[in-house]
C-alpha cells in the first residue's frame, strides 16, 4: 500500500518534471542565418554573436561547412535545409540522399544538435513540388541507416501560399493546386510525429491587402479583438495566419501535426511601412508572443516554436525591403534592440 502511494507520488512528480521541461524547451526563439551577403562576418564571430544574445536555435538554408564547424559544441540547435535544386536528385536517387547525409550530417551529428532536416523551401506550389515528399522519404531512410547518435526528424518548409483560403482562419484550406501534394506530406508528418515548417509573414499579407488589413493588427500593435471567427477572437494577424494553416491541416485529417514558424519578420527599410520603428515593434512583440507561451486561439497554450527572419541584412538580395530584414548589420551592430530572453 505504502509503496503504491510512493510510486504514485513519484510518477506524478516525474510527469510534472517532464511537462515543465517540455514547456521550457519549447519557449525558445531562433533566427534564420542567411548568407546572401558579401560583407557578412565569419561564421565563428556570428556564432559568438548568437551566444551573446542568448539565441539558442538557428536555421541554415543549405549546408555550409564553415557554419557547421562553428556550431560544434555550442549547444545551439540547428535546422538544416537542402537546396531547392537538390530536391530532384534527393527524390529520385537514394544514393544522392545517402551522400548528402554522409557529407552534411554524419561528420557533425556528435557535436551539433540537428533539430530538423528540411527538404526544400517554399517550392509548393511549383514545378518542383512533386519531388518534396520523395526527397523527405529518401532523407529519412538515409538518416535511419547512418547510425546517428539520435534520430533527426525530416520535414519541409512551406509558404502560406499553400493555402487557397485563409480567411476567416477556420476556413483555412490547402489550394486545389497544392492539396494533392500537401495531403500526403501532412500524413507523413503525422505518422512521424514531425511538425510542418511554415513561413508566416503578416508583413506580406498586409502590403498585399492594405485596404482590408490594419497596420496595427499586422504589427501586434493593438489589444482589440479585430477578427471574430465563431468562438475565436483574433487580436493579431500572425495568429490568424498560423490558425489558417492549422485549419487546413485539420481538413486533411492531420490536425495534430504541429506548425513550427520557420520564418517571420519585418523589414526595417524600403517603403513607407518598412522602417526601423515598425520592424522593432513587430519583431519584439512577435518574440514576446512566442515566448509568452500563449499559443494561438485555435491552439491555446500550445508553445509556438519560431525563427525570426533574419539575422543579418543581406546585400546580395534584390534591392529594397528584401535586403533589410536583418536584426543586425553585417558589422554585428543592432539595427534596433531585440530581446531574446525568455519571460
Ligand atoms: C542571457 O541570459 C543570461 C542568463 O539568463 C542573462 O544573465 C543575460 O543578461 C542574457 N543576455 C542578454 C544579452 O540578454
Amino acid at each position: 500500500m505504502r509503496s503504491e502511494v510512493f510510486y504514485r507520488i513519484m510518477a506524478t512528480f516525474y510527469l510534472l518534471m517532464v511537462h515543465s521541461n517540455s514547456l521550457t524547451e519549447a519557449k525558445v526563439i531562433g533566427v534564420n542565418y542567411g548568407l546572401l551577403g558579401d560583407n557578412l562576418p565569419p561564421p565563428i564571430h556570428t556564432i559568438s554573436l548568437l551566444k551573446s544574445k542568448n539565441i539558442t536555435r538557428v536555421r541554415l538554408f543549405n549546408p555550409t561547412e564553415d557554419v557547421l564547424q562553428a556550431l560544434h559544441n555550442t549547444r545551439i540547435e540547428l535546422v538544416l535545409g537542402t537546396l531547392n535544386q537538390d530536391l530532384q536528385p534527393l527524390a529520385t536517387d537514394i544514393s544522392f540522399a545517402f551522400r548528402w547525409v554522409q557529407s552534411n550530417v554524419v561528420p557533425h551529428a556528435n557535436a551539433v544538435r540537428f533539430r530538423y532536416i528540411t527538404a526544400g523551401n517554399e517550392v509548393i506550389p511549383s514545378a518542383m513540388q512533386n519531388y518534396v515528399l520523395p526527397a523527405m522519404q529518401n532523407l529519412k531512410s538515409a538518416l535511419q541507416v547512418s547510425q546517428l547518435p539520435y534520430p533527426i526528424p525530416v520535414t519541409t518548409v512551406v509558404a502560406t501560399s499553400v493555402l487557397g483560403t485563409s480567411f476567416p482562419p477556420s476556413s483555412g484550406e490547402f489550394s486545389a493546386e497544392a492539396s494533392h501534394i500537401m495531403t500526403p506530406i501532412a500524413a507523413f508528418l503525422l505518422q512521424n510525429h514531425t511538425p510542418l515548417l511554415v513561413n508566416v509573414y503578416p508583413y506580406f499579407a498586409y502590403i498585399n491587402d492594405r485596404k482590408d488589413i490594419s497596420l496595427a493588427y499586422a504589427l501586434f500593435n493593438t489589444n482589440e479583438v479585430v477578427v471574430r471567427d465563431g468562438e475565436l477572437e483574433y487580436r493579431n494577424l500572425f495568429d490568424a495566419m498560423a490558425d489558417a494553416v492549422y485549419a487546413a491541416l485539420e481538413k486533411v485529417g492531420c490536425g495534430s501535426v504541429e506548425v513550427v514558424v520557420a520564418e517571420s519578420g519585418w523589414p526595417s527599410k524600403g517603403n513607407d511601412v518598412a522602417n526601423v520603428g515598425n520592424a522593432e515593434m513587430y519583431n519584439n512583440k512577435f518574440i514576446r508572443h512566442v515566448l509568452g507561451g500563449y499559443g494561438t486561439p485555435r491552439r491555446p497554450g500550445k508553445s509556438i516554436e519560431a525563427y525570426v527572419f533574419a539575422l543579418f541584412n543581406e546585400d546580395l538580395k534584390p534591392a529594397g525591403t528584401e535586403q533589410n530584414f536583418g536584426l543586425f548589420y553585417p558589422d554585428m551592430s543592432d539595427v534596433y534592440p531585440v530581446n531574446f530572453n525568455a519571460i
Side-chain angles (χ1 to χ4, degrees):
M1 186 64 194
R2 231 181 242 169
S3 70
E4 193 187 314
V5 170
F6 178 74
Y7 171 79
R8 279 210 202 130
I9 290 169
M10 287 314 287
T12 309
F13 182 63
Y14 176 74
L15 282 173
L16 282 172
M17 276 185 8
V18 169
H19 188 58
S20 66
N21 266 343
S22 69
L23 282 180
T24 341
E25 203 210 8
K27 283 188 200 171
V28 172
I29 198 98
V31 291
N32 283 271
Y33 185 0
L35 289 158
L36 300 178
D38 58 13
N39 51 1
L40 298 179
I44 202 95
H45 294 167
T46 304
I47 301 308
S48 298
L49 172 68
L50 298 182
K51 285 191 209 158
S52 75
K53 300 288 177 181
N54 289 336
I55 299 170
T56 55
R57 283 192 193 148
V58 70
R59 172 173 172 228
L60 199 55
F61 289 87
N62 52 270
T64 314
E65 184 61 24
D66 53 358
V67 176
L68 287 163
Q69 290 290 345
L71 283 167
H72 277 211
N73 307 314
T74 58
R75 301 176 65 194
I76 295 174
E77 290 186 82
L78 174 67
V79 177
L80 180 62
T82 72
L83 289 169
N84 286 343
Q85 71 220 42
D86 284 346
L87 286 173
Q88 179 172 7
L90 285 167
T92 55
D93 178 2
I94 184 78
S95 68
F96 186 93
F98 283 120
R99 287 199 304 277
W100 196 95
V101 169
Q102 284 302 316
S103 4
N104 302 315
V105 182
V106 171
H108 306 290
N110 280 305
V112 178
R113 184 80 194 181
F114 287 81
R115 190 152 177 86
Y116 315 109
I117 304 287
T118 59
N121 184 42
E122 300 196 348
V123 296
I124 305 167
S126 83
M128 282 184 281
Q129 67 182 10
N130 287 317
Y131 298 123
V132 176
L133 181 56
M136 288 164 66
Q137 287 164 330
N138 280 347
L139 283 167
K140 183 190 168 195
S141 305
L143 289 162
Q144 269 172 342
V145 299
S146 294
Q147 306 213 303
L148 297 167
Y150 54 92
I152 305 174
V154 178
T155 182
T156 185
V157 183
V158 297
T160 45
S161 54
V162 294
L163 302 179
T165 307
S166 58
F167 189 86
S170 60
S171 305
E173 66 180 339
F174 296 121
S175 68
E177 212 181 353
S179 184
H180 69 290
I181 301 293
M182 288 307 298
T183 302
I185 287 175
F188 172 94
L189 296 173
L190 182 71
Q191 194 186 358
N192 292 294
H193 307 286
T194 303
L196 176 66
L197 272 59
V198 185
N199 298 338
V200 180
Y201 282 103
Y203 169 75
F204 289 114
Y206 170 76
I207 58 167
N208 289 323
D209 190 4
R210 290 186 186 225
K211 69 179 193 328
D212 293 319
I213 298 174
S214 83
L215 184 60
Y217 182 60
L219 282 173
F220 290 94
N221 193 25
T222 174
N223 290 319
E224 306 284 305
V225 174
V226 176
V227 168
R228 272 178 215 281
D229 180 11
E231 306 258 276
L232 304 181
E233 299 181 330
Y234 290 88
R235 293 173 163 83
N236 65 75
L237 180 55
F238 169 83
D239 279 347
M241 293 175 77
D243 276 356
V245 179
Y246 274 120
L249 286 166
E250 287 166 23
K251 289 194 180 82
V252 299
C254 296
S256 62
V257 172
E258 247 178 75
V259 169
V260 164
V261 178
E263 296 176 23
S264 192
W266 197 284
S268 63
K269 198 171 158 186
N271 65 39
D272 62 319
V273 296
N275 53 51
V276 167
N278 286 348
E280 177 175 357
M281 178 175 302
Y282 181 84
N283 281 322
N284 278 287
K285 293 202 170 194
F286 170 63
I287 291 168
R288 289 303 101 193
H289 183 63
V290 169
L291 295 179
Y294 314 113
T296 63
R298 213 173 178 82
R299 294 289 184 278
K302 187 169 182 63
S303 282
I304 304 167
E305 178 180 342
Y307 298 78
V308 177
F309 188 90
L311 189 52
F312 293 117
N313 282 343
E314 294 168 71
D315 67 350
L316 299 178
K317 295 194 137 189
T321 54
E322 288 292 314
Q323 293 189 357
N324 291 288
F325 273 86
L327 304 175
F328 300 97
Y329 293 109
D331 69 0
M332 304 206 289
S333 62
D334 294 357
V335 177
Y336 43 85
V338 178
N339 179 3
F340 295 94
N341 291 303
I343 297 166

